[in-house]
Amino acid sequence: MAAVAFDIEYTAERDRLSSALRILYALPHLIIANVLQGLQEVLSFVHWWIILFTGKRNAGIWGLSKGVLNWQSRAYTYAGLMYDTYPAFAFEGAQEPVRLGLEMDESANRLTCALRIIWAIPAMIITSLLTIAGMVISIASWFAILFTGSHPRGMFDFLLKVHRYAVRFNAYVALLSDTYPAFD
């Protein structure tokens, strides 16, 4: 199975007002993303059992889980000042500059699925550390956007890598992909 592709188009010039109020604007999406996280956890548990018994992924569960991942990635990147277009209230984005590429592979390795939670521990630690670093850079980006009206390219690139790793990690633990997350 191919790795998860995740990308956001870079835009230097940014809207100062929407960036200043971003956390308020993003709040409805963040609430929905966290509610969907509970659904994602239930779906992953059910999917885990399906894969253990059949060795195949369920297309319906996989599709809904991918939709949840897409919504979450758009909500978190919008809240993290990666772009200014307000995200759609849907599983698929319409006009956002965010692209999530992930294709379903019906067959799944039962052993890697059975041990997924154990193998995910190192990636979970890395995700936690990257999230902390990303929050610090997001705060610095917030000030940079407010004072200059543009998002520094170096900060954007680092934040994109953090979000990309987090999306790959979430796809891995949600059993959407068998590819271990990589930071690139």
Side-chain angles (χ1 to χ4, degrees):
M1 175 171 265
V4 178
F6 183 76
D7 198 25
I8 302 172
E9 295 173 25
Y10 174 70
T11 305
E13 295 302 315
R14 303 299 296 281
D15 184 353
R16 292 178 184 188
L17 181 60
S18 76
S19 295
L21 302 173
R22 183 60 51 93
I23 196 66
L24 295 175
Y25 291 166
L27 199 56
H29 277 287
L30 294 175
I31 290 169
I32 292 170
N34 284 319
V35 169
L36 288 174
Q37 180 64 37
L39 173 65
Q40 178 73 41
E41 291 168 4
V42 171
L43 289 173
S44 295
F45 181 73
V46 171
H47 210 198
W48 185 76
W49 285 104
I50 290 171
I51 292 171
L52 284 183
F53 283 113
T54 67
K56 296 180 180 179
R57 289 184 171 83
N58 179 284
I61 293 175
W62 191 92
L64 187 55
S65 294
K66 181 185 176 196
V68 169
L69 181 64
N70 194 347
W71 193 316
Q72 289 175 330
S73 65
R74 290 181 298 111
Y76 294 138
T77 54
Y78 176 73
L81 302 168
M82 297 298 291
Y83 62 96
D84 289 336
T85 307
Y86 195 75
F89 284 94
F91 286 122
E92 292 292 327
Q95 299 174 356
E96 300 93 336
V98 179
R99 301 291 168 254
L100 173 65
L102 179 60
E103 298 298 322
M104 181 180 158
D105 184 10
E106 186 179 0
S107 65
N109 186 319
R110 292 176 184 187
L111 179 61
T112 61
C113 177
L115 300 174
R116 182 72 46 104
I117 195 67
I118 294 170
W119 291 349
I121 292 172
M124 189 181 312
I125 293 168
I126 293 168
T127 302
S128 299
L129 294 173
L130 285 173
T131 300
I132 293 168
M135 291 172 73
V136 171
I137 298 300
S138 289
I139 292 168
S141 294
W142 186 75
F143 282 109
I145 291 169
L146 286 182
F147 292 127
T148 67
S150 66
H151 198 172
R153 184 64 193 234
M155 290 180 177
F156 178 88
D157 289 342
F158 178 76
L159 289 172
L160 177 59
K161 288 180 181 184
V162 169
H163 286 291
R164 185 178 293 143
Y165 188 86
V167 168
R168 288 176 178 169
F169 171 75
N170 288 332
Y172 182 72
V173 296
L175 305 172
L176 295 172
S177 173
D178 289 333
T179 304
Y180 201 78
F183 187 78
D184 61 350

